[in-house]
Each structure stands twice: as C-alpha cells, then as structure tokens.
Amino acid sequence: MNDLPFRFGVVAGQAPDAASWTGLACRAESLGYATLLVPDTIATLSPFTAAAVAATVTTTLRVGTYVVSAPYRTPETVAWETATLHTLTGGRFELGLGAGRPAAEQDAAALGVRFGTPSQRIERIARTIDAVKNVRVLVAAAGTKLLRLAARKADTVAIGVPPHHPEEQVAAKLDELYELAGDRYDELELSMNLAVAGGEPPGRLLGRFGRTGSGILTGTADEMADVLRRRRDRLGISYVTVNAACLDAFAPVVERLAGT
C-alpha cells in the first residue's frame, strides 16, 4: 500500500490579469500548497505560459499542467516546452498528461489539429512520456488502456472519476491499477481532484457538481482531514488537488496534513 506524505495542489486556469494570476500563485505558496496546476483548454490560460509566470513569483511552489491534452501538441513540442520549464523553474515543473476531456474534441477542431481515436491518443501519451526528461509525470486515467500505460510509465496517477461518483468507484479503479502495475504499484503516487471543498463551498460549485461524491468534500477542517486520512489508509491517495475557488476554504486542511 502506498503510504506517502500528503501534498496538495491547486487547479486554476483563469485570471483577469497578470497581477491576479501571480497573486494566486503567491497565495497558494503561502498557504502551504505544493503545486499550482493549469488545465489545457482553449477557455483557460495557456498552461505552459501560465505555469512559467507563476514560477517567476514563487520560490518553493511547483507548477504544472492538469493536464496537457495529448492531441494538441506533438510529443516533441511537449518535450521542448517541458525541458525549458524544467530549466527556468529550477526543477519545479511537473508535467500532467491526459487523453482529452469530454469537450477536448471540439477544442482540437478549433485549434486545427486532429483529435484521433482513443488508441491513437494513448499512444501519443506514451511517446510523449518517452520524449520528456527529468520531470515528474502525472497521467490522468480512468479507462483500462490508459491505466495500463500509467501503471508502466507515470510517477503519479490521477484517478479520473467524475466528482459525483462514490468512493467505491475510485476504489475499483485503484484495484484495477494495482493489478496492472504489479510490483511497480508501491512506487506510484496516487492522486484525486476535489471539485468542491470547504465548510461552506460556493453555491455555484454545488450547483454544478452536486453535494455528494468522492470529489466533493465538505465539513469542518478536522472532518475533512479525517476523510483524507481514511482515504490514504484505505486507498493510498496522498496527493490531493483542489479547485482554486476553494483555495482559502481548504487551507486549514492543508495546514493540518501537508507533509504528514
């Protein structure tokens, strides 16, 4: 069973200006978050550029992608961007990769690139991982083929279960990953994202994602911390990312658990 110390990340992709974005990065660092991660959609900031800017105003915060959509760039382009950020951040860049969220096909069309079949996208992720050097690689996975790839090549596996799905479905995916990874399973850092978190989450988030599910965590700081400890004990999940809208509300949990 994975028994790594807790670390926490913030997933953010929008800001009205540079001051707001750099302020968010500094705030995340000051609250003890380990990473600031940027999604890869045409409705959000360009992930590599946004990560670079966040790194310039922080010193310990790691920056990364959550997650680069495989169809949008060649493996060589991703390796180039990754090597540059690895150098200019002093090794603080982490690459997250995925096969494309449900709306990614429309984004690919808008970008003028071919989306490809699931198998083609997974093969591109494999080639991308092989092309990059010296960085931690996270793979967001749900299906068996991508879980198999993550089991072989990733440092971190983010379980791609929708927020409203129950914890039992996360457990089922991890059971499958365990079978696929074999002896390598204990080397993997396991991660999941919280779309909603805090004592009184914003109503718009509750309206969008619902009030119950594995990706929705509410209650007092102690109650939320207890849930995450139990999940780590039961499932091995030690890397928890959270929607940036919940950055401050979730900070007391980060204070209690980060590094423990």
Side-chain angles (χ1 to χ4, degrees):
M1 173 63 69
N2 308 66
D3 191 24
L4 298 173
F6 280 110
R7 68 175 186 144
F8 297 92
V10 178
V11 180
Q14 295 178 324
D17 50 44
S20 298
W21 180 249
T22 55
L24 174 66
C26 292
R27 180 70 175 158
E29 182 175 64
S30 70
L31 291 174
Y33 288 90
T35 57
L36 175 61
L37 308 176
V38 189
D40 191 17
T41 82
I42 60 173
T44 53
L45 298 171
S46 172
F48 291 110
T49 302
V53 171
T56 64
V57 296
T58 55
T59 56
T60 61
L61 186 72
R62 300 177 70 83
V63 296
T65 56
Y66 195 81
V67 288
V68 164
S69 185
Y72 300 171
R73 304 166 189 83
T74 66
E76 293 76 16
T77 299
V78 176
W80 179 26
E81 297 279 10
T82 297
T84 299
L85 277 167
H86 175 72
T87 298
L88 297 184
T89 64
R92 288 188 286 136
F93 180 71
E94 299 186 11
L95 177 66
L97 297 168
R101 73 196 200 290
E105 188 167 7
Q106 288 80 5
D107 281 3
L111 292 168
V113 297
R114 184 169 178 269
F115 191 60
T117 66
S119 293
Q120 288 170 334
R121 300 198 305 274
I122 291 170
E123 192 271 338
R124 178 166 279 201
I125 293 173
R127 290 196 293 118
T128 302
I129 296 173
D130 290 341
V132 302
K133 301 289 189 295
N134 302 319
V135 301
R136 290 191 62 85
V137 175
L138 174 149
V139 173
T144 298
K145 290 183 179 179
L146 196 45
L147 283 170
R148 180 178 291 112
L149 173 64
R152 290 192 293 114
K153 292 181 176 288
D155 299 296
T156 301
V157 181
I159 301 301
V161 170
H164 64 279
H165 284 200
E167 189 173 296
E168 287 70 24
Q169 293 197 17
V170 178
K173 294 294 181 184
L174 289 170
D175 286 343
E176 185 176 9
L177 180 65
Y178 178 82
E179 295 299 324
L180 293 167
D183 291 344
R184 195 168 183 269
Y185 187 76
D186 287 339
E187 300 175 16
L188 298 173
E189 179 184 51
L190 305 178
S191 177
M192 68 177 297
N193 183 63
L194 299 177
V196 182
E200 297 181 4
R204 61 184 176 82
L205 294 183
L206 294 172
R208 179 180 177 185
F209 297 111
R211 294 179 176 273
T212 60
S214 58
I216 299 161
L217 184 61
T218 59
T220 67
D222 286 337
E223 289 169 342
M224 290 186 286
D226 286 344
V227 170
L228 295 181
R229 288 190 192 98
R230 179 183 53 76
R231 282 184 182 171
R232 185 176 64 178
D233 291 344
R234 179 191 175 203
L235 304 176
I237 295 169
S238 61
Y239 182 25
V240 180
T241 58
V242 64
N243 188 319
C246 305
L247 172 80
D248 289 299
F250 193 67
V253 179
V254 176
E255 182 179 15
R256 284 163 170 76
L257 295 183
T260 65

